[in-house]
């Protein structure tokens, strides 16, 4: 099992996990940050939520109303320019005020069904706001760093190698190539001349760093038995015959805190929310009824 996958599984709690990528990405040096712009962008002025942007028959629509509408999942417009999006949202708010007033006049809000929907949406909004507030308390720089460090410590060290290979179709050809490179010919040059692997041929057969589980078993077994500088005898796999040269061996580095910060914070927020709900359930008297109105046994959450 790769170290990154182990890292991910060790953070499974209450069905919440950090979605770290598996594979060799963690072993690679992250790209250098791009150069800073020549001039800093102007600070975006704070928007007053009470500022009136429109009126409908005397009813005011404010910047705060527009901000709430922009968070509605049904009104997301990811590919629409901001100015056009603002215009569309303002138009929607105008229609909403007009439609709501007309619905009131038609006494739509007087039904029991409407009252139930209103109560449901009020409860949902209250819960969403409460969970958001509580999760923000849990996501602190100290908590994120502590979780990261504890998880890294719990992940066992994993070996990986950097190897080159030459892939050919048959054993006789592989034996001849093995004799050439063991006899002193440059491995990368020979790989560029004869290897049938298009993915590594142009790089002199270089496969980069990999863990044992990322290669087919016969290849991986042979590669991990070699020491740096050693060349294998021909090895057969489902792809053909390989001659392998190990360049380096090392302990695979864990992903850095900066690489995983967003995932760590997401995990902390979701765990805080689930812990809150589980705590509320634990301290509540919950009764379920069957279709005849009789109490049924309450299962533990």
């Amino acid at each position: 099992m790769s170290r990154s996958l182990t890292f991910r599984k060790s953070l499974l709690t209450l069905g919440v996990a950090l979605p770290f990528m598996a594979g060799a990405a963690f072993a690679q040096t992250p790209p250098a940050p791009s150069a800073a712009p020549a001039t800093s962008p102007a600070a975006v002025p704070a928007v007053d939520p009470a500022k009136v942007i429109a009126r409908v028959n005397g009813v005011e629509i404010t910047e705060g109303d527009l901000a709430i509408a922009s968070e509605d999942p049904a009104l997301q417009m990811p590919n629409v320019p901001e100015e056009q999006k603002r215009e569309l949202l303002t138009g929607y708010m105008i229609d909403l005020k007009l439609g709501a007033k007309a619905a009131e006049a038609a006494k739509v809000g007087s039904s029991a069904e409407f009252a139930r929907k209103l109560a449901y949406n009020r409860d949902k909004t209250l819960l969403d706001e409460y969970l958001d507030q509580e999760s923000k308390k849990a996501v602190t720089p100290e908590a994120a760093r502590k979780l990261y460090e504890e998880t890294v410590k719990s992940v066992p060290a994993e070996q990986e190698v950097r190897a080159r290979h030459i892939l050919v179709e048959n054993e006789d050809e592989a034996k001849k190539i093995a004799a050439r490179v063991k006899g002193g010919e440059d491995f990368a040059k020979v790989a560029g001349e004869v290897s049938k692997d298009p993915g590594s041929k142009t790089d002199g057969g270089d496969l980069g760093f990999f863990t044992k589980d990322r290669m087919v078993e016969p290849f991986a077994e042979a590669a991990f038995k070699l020491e740096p500088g050693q060349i294998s005898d021909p090895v057969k796999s489902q792809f053909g015959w390989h001659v392998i040269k190990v360049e380096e061996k090392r302990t695979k580095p864990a992903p850095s805190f900066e690489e995983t910060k967003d995932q760590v914070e997401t995990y902390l927020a979701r765990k805080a929310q689930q812990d809150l709900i589980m705590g509320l359930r634990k301290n509540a008297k919950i009764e379920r009824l069957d279709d005849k109105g009789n109490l049924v046994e309450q299962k533990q959450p």
Side-chain angles (χ1 to χ4, degrees), residues 133-154:
Q133 289 179 16
E134 294 303 305
S135 64
K136 285 178 180 177
K137 295 177 185 177
V139 183
T140 64
E142 296 78 16
R145 177 66 69 171
K146 181 181 179 183
L147 175 61
Y148 168 80
E149 292 176 352
E150 288 176 349
T151 305
V152 168
K153 287 178 184 177
S154 70

Side-chain angles (χ1 to χ4, degrees), residues 23 114 152 156 172 217 250 297:
F114 179 84
V152 168
D172 288 340
E217 188 171 339
R250 71 179 185 184
E297 182 180 355

